[in-house]
Amino acid sequence: MGPTDIRAGRSEEVWRETGLASAYATRFDTSAARVFGYPFVLEALAVPNPPHTVVDFGCGPGTAAALAADQWNCRVYAVDSSQAMLELGRHAYPNPLIDFRHVAPGVLAFLPDASVDAVMCTLVMATIQDVDMMVRLIAEAHRVLSPGGRFAILEGHPDGVGIEYSMKRPIPGHEPARPGDPWPVQLKTTAGPWLDVTDYYWDLPTYLRILEDVGFQNLAVVAPTLESAKEKADPDDLAAASWDTERTSPPYVVITGCRR
């Protein structure tokens, strides 16, 4: 079956549109992120101990925030620049431990310096075209973290250009050539068709350089394949696909750092 006729970049402006935000939140098949992404983010943030306060920076519809609150019984600040996404999150996850807040892009003005234990950005960086904006966001995460606090980024693996995964496939002839280039792909929906979206491509050296320049230390990169995911993922999510490509080609990468 071919892709749907909805074509939109996953930019900040798109998220502000209630209809498009709802389409993203309810139509994408999120099982790949649940198998190969979120469990590894939570594992990385729980070292050496589970956090008491977490920021989900660019929370979207609140999926990662809800997983963190459920797993750790902790306070989660789920922040986003899209009111539409926040409304979806409040409706889907009415957990009193989750504080959904609207913020200006890349700014956590309501939080003082060194005030939280962990910050996560899941599937956010691919929506950012401007490297300076990425630097500001990561620097803001560093600012609000307490000494020893941990930061985690979850994104599609940059080595996955041109690879057809179970839930994401390339659009031939539109492969990115350099950091910041548009990266058009198709994502599988829960109804079966594929939806065209445009992400932005950032390679691992770019992420690591920014993290180091901002002041993070003990940088680490984890690229889960099916074998490692089997130990952590929910059986229902594992059963969503055969994950043939993901046996050897990791669809996501988790990049972490620690504030000094």
Side-chain angles (χ1 to χ4, degrees):
M1 184 176 292
T4 67
D5 58 359
I6 299 175
R7 296 172 180 266
R10 295 203 297 176
S11 66
E12 175 187 316
E13 290 74 18
V14 166
W15 294 133
R16 293 200 177 105
E17 297 293 333
T18 302
L20 287 173
S22 180
Y24 277 108
T26 61
R27 295 182 61 186
F28 282 160
D29 190 322
T30 61
S31 55
R34 290 179 177 274
V35 170
F36 302 97
Y38 299 135
F40 295 88
V41 170
L42 298 185
E43 180 180 62
L45 294 180
V47 176
N49 300 301
H52 298 291
T53 52
V54 178
V55 176
D56 185 0
F57 204 168
C59 65
T63 305
L67 291 170
D70 289 346
Q71 180 161 319
W72 296 322
N73 195 36
C74 66
R75 165 68 78 183
V76 179
Y77 296 106
V79 306
D80 206 287
S81 61
S82 166
Q83 290 281 18
M85 279 294 185
L86 292 169
E87 285 304 313
L88 290 170
R90 293 186 184 105
H91 178 76
Y93 305 110
N95 186 333
L97 290 172
I98 305 176
D99 183 357
F100 287 97
R101 292 195 179 219
H102 182 255
V103 296
V107 179
L108 299 171
F110 72 98
L111 286 174
D113 295 356
S115 58
V116 302
D117 300 322
V119 179
M120 56 183 172
C121 286
T122 64
L123 309 179
V124 172
M125 302 302 177
T127 71
I128 299 174
Q129 185 178 14
D130 179 9
V131 69
D132 291 335
M133 180 62 196
M134 189 186 304
V135 171
R136 289 196 296 272
L137 188 154
I138 293 174
E140 185 72 343
H142 186 272
R143 179 187 69 80
V144 302
L145 278 169
S146 299
R150 298 183 66 81
F151 178 53
I153 294 170
L154 170 67
E155 284 299 339
H157 201 302
D159 290 348
V161 173
I163 296 177
E164 181 166 344
Y165 293 105
S166 300
M167 302 297 167
K168 182 173 80 171
R169 65 190 186 189
I171 298 177
H174 294 276
E175 294 80 6
R178 62 184 67 86
D181 277 357
W183 186 3
V185 296
Q186 293 179 342
L187 302 181
K188 196 173 188 303
T189 66
T190 53
W194 294 75
L195 182 67
D196 288 12
V197 302
T198 298
D199 287 339
Y200 295 99
Y201 173 81
W202 299 105
D203 59 3
L204 282 176
T206 298
Y207 286 122
L208 295 172
R209 174 181 56 79
I210 294 173
L211 287 166
E212 185 173 11
D213 288 349
V214 163
F216 283 103
Q217 63 180 5
N218 300 331
L219 304 185
V221 176
V222 175
T225 55
L226 183 60
E227 190 61 32
S228 56
K230 285 179 179 178
E231 304 172 2
K232 299 176 176 63
D234 184 280
D236 289 340
D237 292 322
L238 280 169
S242 61
W243 309 114
D244 292 333
T245 300
E246 291 81 358
R247 293 176 188 275
T248 55
S249 297
Y252 291 101
V253 64
V254 178
I255 309 162
T256 57
C258 180
R259 176 171 174 171
R260 295 187 179 93

